[in-house]
Amino acid sequence: MSQGLNVSILGGGSAYTPGLIHGFINRSQDVPLSRLVLMDIDESKLDTVGYVVRHMLQDAMPQCKLELTTDRDQAIRNMDFIICQIRVGGLQSRHIDESIPIKHGVIGQETTGPGGFAMALRTIPVMVEIAAEIQEKNPRAWLINYTNPSGLVAEAITKTSEIRHISICDEPMVLQESLGAFLNVPPEQLFFDYFGLNHLAWARRVYLQGVDILPQLRDTLEHTPLDKIEGLFGEEVLRDRKVRTELRNTLRIFKETGMLPSPYLQYYWFTDEILEQQIRSGRTRAQEVIQMEQEILAEYRKVAAGERPFETLRGGEWHADMMVGMLGAIANDTREVFIVNTPNHGALPELPFNKIVEVPALVDARGAHPLAMGKMPVEVRGLIQAVAAYEELTVEAVLNGCYDTALTALSCHPLVPSRKVAKNILDDYIAAHGESLAYLK
Amino acid sequence: MSQGLNVSILGGGSAYTPGLIHGFINRSQDVPLSRLVLMDIDESKLDTVGYVVRHMLQDAMPQCKLELTTDRDQAIRNMDFIICQIRVGGLQSRHIDESIPIKHGVIGQETTGPGGFAMALRTIPVMVEIAAEIQEKNPRAWLINYTNPSGLVAEAITKTSEIRHISICDEPMVLQESLGAFLNVPPEQLFFDYFGLNHLAWARRVYLQGVDILPQLRDTLEHTPLDKIEGLFGEEVLRDRKVRTELRNTLRIFKETGMLPSPYLQYYWFTDEILEQQIRSGRTRAQEVIQMEQEILAEYRKVAAGERPFETLRGGEWHADMMVGMLGAIANDTREVFIVNTPNHGALPELPFNKIVEVPALVDARGAHPLAMGKMPVEVRGLIQAVAAYEELTVEAVLNGCYDTALTALSCHPLVPSRKVAKNILDDYIAAHGESLAYLK
Amino acid sequence: MSQGLNVSILGGGSAYTPGLIHGFINRSQDVPLSRLVLMDIDESKLDTVGYVVRHMLQDAMPQCKLELTTDRDQAIRNMDFIICQIRVGGLQSRHIDESIPIKHGVIGQETTGPGGFAMALRTIPVMVEIAAEIQEKNPRAWLINYTNPSGLVAEAITKTSEIRHISICDEPMVLQESLGAFLNVPPEQLFFDYFGLNHLAWARRVYLQGVDILPQLRDTLEHTPLDKIEGLFGEEVLRDRKVRTELRNTLRIFKETGMLPSPYLQYYWFTDEILEQQIRSGRTRAQEVIQMEQEILAEYRKVAAGERPFETLRGGEWHADMMVGMLGAIANDTREVFIVNTPNHGALPELPFNKIVEVPALVDARGAHPLAMGKMPVEVRGLIQAVAAYEELTVEAVLNGCYDTALTALSCHPLVPSRKVAKNILDDYIAAHGESLAYLK
Amino acid sequence: MSQGLNVSILGGGSAYTPGLIHGFINRSQDVPLSRLVLMDIDESKLDTVGYVVRHMLQDAMPQCKLELTTDRDQAIRNMDFIICQIRVGGLQSRHIDESIPIKHGVIGQETTGPGGFAMALRTIPVMVEIAAEIQEKNPRAWLINYTNPSGLVAEAITKTSEIRHISICDEPMVLQESLGAFLNVPPEQLFFDYFGLNHLAWARRVYLQGVDILPQLRDTLEHTPLDKIEGLFGEEVLRDRKVRTELRNTLRIFKETGMLPSPYLQYYWFTDEILEQQIRSGRTRAQEVIQMEQEILAEYRKVAAGERPFETLRGGEWHADMMVGMLGAIANDTREVFIVNTPNHGALPELPFNKIVEVPALVDARGAHPLAMGKMPVEVRGLIQAVAAYEELTVEAVLNGCYDTALTALSCHPLVPSRKVAKNILDDYIAAHGESLAYLK
């Protein structure tokens, strides 16, 4: 790769972008960039973030040409990789997604439950459009999708398009990196025997040098105070209450079951206490994130204005490691193992053959080759199959623009207590989201 | 069958027994009895019911020898058919099963949800013991099991025994007979394209002369007042509020989905309103049934004392039609279609190969041959798979006597909102049921 | 069915037609005809056979109107049932099908091996055309197909058409009737645990009153001279050397394996000795059948000319029993068990979900509901799967008109020793059959 | 791995051993040995080969302690890796395996057809014994099995033992290395989309930098003279007529089908011409190999006697690359892709879940993780399924010591034309192999 890659980022005005660029800079030896296009519909954020990125590239990757644009066409043509991290409707829409279920006594969460359902209804049409545009204008490009709900988006793209595409989520990598940090071993030395759906997956066993370390980890945790455990995950964990709770809940589940779940399992496992906390708090996660984003952007602006030194910026590293690593594995054909969202093809024989599943895969220039993970433990099989059916119906509802199928889909979600509640939530979403859900007939 | 069959009824003291005997009398031409053994551990009920049965047989089947006994051995040896309708722990235990979940904000129901789970924990050990006794003492006998939870009991028997056995539930037949009555056609003319698990099953299509009548039925119901519909189902429906509600809810679901569900689906579909009603009522179904049973037994006693004429007795007909029909199909090798609980063997390819499923089967002297019902509609597939996993774990918990597996099983039930609630319910059950659940370690 | 059915027979000029009409006459109570259309492209045969049929109907079913026609349209419009027993290309083409493989050292047989392949290549295009014509002109009609190769024809029809259709083969019924005769019990009392593909199927167990009689039958045969066994199958068996050999070979296989195979299994099991015999004989079965047919038609003509009394005619009874029985089960919605060729849908989980398989099915006004037959014994599974793949490719070759796929299909047939031999045979077929295979590109 | 590995070679007296040691020497940086045990029952060969190996180690790996032994116990205890390359019965038995089928008009080949069947009958009992001994004496050791028939041996070991084990065959690696040589790229850059059973497998696609190169390769071969192609594979290919024929036949199949098959497919594809050639030649491959082995051992002896310089020795490189590479991936936990024989677990959903299949797998300290290869092309699916059934029965026959199952297994093999021929071959084998097959009852 003498020349460097042409890479674009859809949703490039995100506060996470500098973190991602940091990742490219760290690996500029094996994943060099010759052209970087940041595309966003929010010009103000694009300018702020663009300034920071330009500054970052100046010293570290001077040969890389930076372009800022609001024109998607420019971010699609001639690209080798199109990274998509858009958030359709922005964080305001997320707030709607999260707040409505709570009114109906149901968990309000970005990707799990009704919130993820609404996000899918809003996001899939746009993603399907982007995939079609790539197929038309630049069919040899790779779309690396990071936009949530990742599994549902991947399913819709796979059903409607022939483009080269992998959908990822940094959560499994967060798990791997956290565990590596905790065990004080390089995370890439851990092999995850991992299976499920995006945000509903488990590490059944984790091998280090061929030995499953989970039993011993479970023993250790029995005798370790939670504070000490948290400390090992670093400052960031301690600062953000949501992340800290997530960690605590995940460890509680692990202690009981011996398997290491996705942190999102907490919403199924501790449904009542989390719901109670959400009702009590009176504030959605979206609102917290809006504030966090504003703080970060404000800091960016200070840096841009020369009021603060550049070096203070940080964050989004795991996201970057996963994204740049994956991109490098494709570009350099290096056959590395990543946990990705990919068509099943027998990897999990108890789920439909063409369902998108989240499993370890070998990634190379050809894309993702999933590993055959065999049968799932019966204690999680039913939940996974139930959510798989919900997902299948949700994608069908969007692609057919069908209200009844959407209602059926939401009724099928394990966190929704009844058809009536499903209808109330769906109708409230349609009223609140306006134009973006008007396609449901 | 020149000689007549030897038939015993375990749980013969039930108030349903006379209805069942009525069924035998109606079909005494093709299913003649030469010996009838009623076995029960409750001598008082056995006497009362035995008196009534003796009276019934006197005129109608004088050649049939009646024996009343509290000794199971006598009801097993030399029998052709052993009908099992025992209720382990009696209706008092059912009251416990139903009342505890309500305290924890969960549906309290005999066979669905935690109630069915507790019933399985209490019942399976006894049923496994009975099956083992049959295998030892009379391996050529047929066990026709009617004891609930029917699917779970069948699964445990199949896993631990080689006896000839069919587990049935009269619910699909009730559906068939009701629909026949409503349409004014002989119910046996209806063919049910039916699939699922016991108490969680659907008629996807119902054929009359090769034409699916459900779409037209749905149209009709749109324009028919509910009162008129109820009227068609007869007096019994109108009298019992629970049955009436069940009917209404089932029709509501049918109107929305176009498939005719098991009435028990209401607990998943209208969970919140039923729970609210259960909390408000302050009375379990068990308590209602206890009262109903006492009234029936009181009537039996009056009949026995000559205070009322014999002819006034009635009830349990559907139960009898199904049971005697099934028994006749086996005894006479007539290959009739019944909906039964039977090992899957590919009938529903999206469930495990050896799972007990509820599907139409051809019944003959060899037992049940399930029909291949193909793939399930995605809108119910997930729920069925989730409950299948719960069932598999519940049976495993009982057979291994394992508390942890029991907790996992209950946590997996779609009606249980969290692991914590599951634990509270399970622990309350163990405390309340005492000796009968002491085997869980 | 007050009025009687409208039934047509495509290929009505066949010498088998009178036997079939005999079957209708025998069951005229429950399967009455009001109109019978015999259609054939061979006017001469149609006249002869038509005369005989007219004579048969005169006394026995005077209300039935008979029509003879060479116009397919007349045999499709307004019919309730269209029976198809055409033989595309006639027996002369069968002779080509059978003789060419022998030249290349391969079994020459009408439906098994290259012969069946050639027959499929010639027959499927016509059958697909007929199905399309039915769908256009009379979509509520039932096509009961008897044309070979029955499974392949059914697969092509199912893939290209929505018509109501069952493909049958009288072979399983011959097995059942023969066994009934041998055991001296009514054949319908036997229940066949039966699975496979058309002409490649097995009865794993045969139940009489719930007991598998195959083990005892095997014992009996050990101690019974073959002559005596053959005698039990009647005169017809003894007369036709081919049928006698088939019976002997089938019994040899049964003795070794304990399962009762389709007689066509002999071509896989005794390949070398049958091939040797075919080479030695220098005469194809087609040539024998041509002669037999001429003798029968000559006899018909004598009868028609008044030179022989009508009563001397006979034959084709099993064929008739199966056909009229099946037709009656559909017309009268009687839910009888027949072994038919039907989409798999899980009945045999080790074959593709939509493959046409030959299994017991419940037949009613809705068509065939296959029974779930479970896993196949490993000792026959591989052969069945291999032939299933050959069949799938053959149908694909015809529907795509693709020479290469045809060559691959034939190469995949277990009786074809090499790709080279496959090519030689295929090319010889194309040369010999001329126009009818010219569609392969 | 500061200390180096303890490795033993069962069958260490083989002429291939020096080649293997060469491989260890080449990779002594990442796969260092501290102790090497060569075990063989043939003391003479062990001495000769041992001398050569000692000489090789002297300079290249002086720290490695060499032991020669006839005692299996010494080669099992304390080992990290036990490499098994024994040949039960030696090449004389192979000659019997290969010559008997030819007498009956069937291909005589070491691993394919009856020859492989006989080899399995002779070899599996010994391998099962070895696995049991490892499990008892050194359960943490890895058995890397190279003994043929590799898939059948793996299946028997997996069914009877819990040891850590991978069975390999160098054939896929030969394919990969040859193709790399031909294309002039490092072979490890090629990714094989590969599936099947040992010696019956296909590369459906071969990716270089994410692009399937097979279509272009096919084009190239169309226009390349065979001599030129052969030249690219080096001198060794040209020298050995068998290898040259194999190459030619494989390329012929590739040209016709576009998939790159195992060279052993020629026995199914060109059955008649190879059989004819075998009959004409009057000499088995075993006899050729016996002579080749003697020549090599003679050369070794000359070297040992100082009559020739050491440097002239060579051969067995691919074998060594595969073996040492695999061993290194396990020892160093490096997650490399190798094509191995491994339990299916959904990798090929059309084969039984626990069948041993040959597919790409990620190899690390935990062993082999198969990739999910999806559905097989229908044109090879049937043959693979047929051979899978044969294999399953063969292993069952050995483990149960059952003559009838063995006969059924051999009858099921696609290359065996009839049950009678199967019986003749099996009986001849039993007579010729004497004691080693006496366990079949």
Side-chain angles (χ1 to χ4, degrees), chain D residues 365-396:
Chain D
R366 166 69 178 82
H369 308 267
L371 271 70
M373 302 311 292
K375 296 192 179 162
M376 301 182 284
V378 62
E379 59 263 39
V380 301
R381 189 187 73 206
L383 178 59
I384 291 174
Q385 289 176 322
V387 173
Y390 146 79
E391 288 190 358
E392 205 173 320
L393 284 163
T394 301
V395 171
E396 189 190 323

Side-chain angles (χ1 to χ4, degrees), chain A residues 263-434:
Chain A
Y264 290 79
L265 186 61
Q266 66 175 340
Y267 299 107
Y268 298 94
W269 195 273
F270 303 116
T271 318
D272 40 10
E273 72 186 56
I274 291 176
L275 178 60
E276 197 189 348
Q277 189 277 326
Q278 288 187 338
I279 292 168
R280 214 172 43 231
S281 128
R283 202 170 173 234
T284 61
R285 178 67 180 166
Q287 290 173 311
E288 291 173 25
V289 174
I290 287 168
Q291 187 183 323
M292 284 157 62
E293 194 195 43
Q294 284 165 350
E295 289 167 13
I296 295 173
L297 287 174
E299 220 165 319
Y300 286 175
R301 279 190 210 97
K302 280 187 200 157
V303 169
E307 296 167 18
R308 286 193 52 172
F310 185 80
E311 289 66 29
T312 56
L313 300 173
R314 62 176 297 280
E317 284 162 19
W318 286 327
H319 171 191
D321 282 356
M322 173 86 179
M323 180 62 83
V324 181
M326 168 84 61
L327 206 143
I330 296 172
N332 301 319
D333 196 28
T334 47
R335 281 185 218 159
E336 287 168 68
V337 176
F338 291 93
I339 294 172
V340 297
N341 289 281
T342 180
N344 184 5
H345 291 178
L348 298 176
E350 292 149 327
L351 292 175
F353 191 76
N354 288 313
K355 184 85 195 70
I356 297 293
V357 296
E358 192 169 280
V359 290
L362 207 63
V363 175
D364 64 14
R366 166 71 179 81
H369 308 267
L371 270 69
M373 302 311 292
K375 295 191 179 164
M376 301 182 285
V378 62
E379 59 265 37
V380 300
R381 189 187 72 206
L383 179 58
I384 291 174
Q385 289 176 322
V387 174
Y390 146 78
E391 289 191 355
E392 204 173 321
L393 284 163
T394 301
V395 172
E396 189 190 321
V398 180
L399 297 184
N400 297 339
C402 176
Y403 175 91
D404 280 351
T405 307
L407 174 55
T408 299
L410 189 54
S411 305
C412 282
H413 196 289
L415 290 177
V416 175
S418 75
R419 178 91 167 185
K420 192 177 69 190
V421 172
K423 186 160 179 17
N424 292 341
I425 292 174
L426 175 57
D427 291 343
D428 278 9
Y429 275 140
I430 288 174
H433 281 306

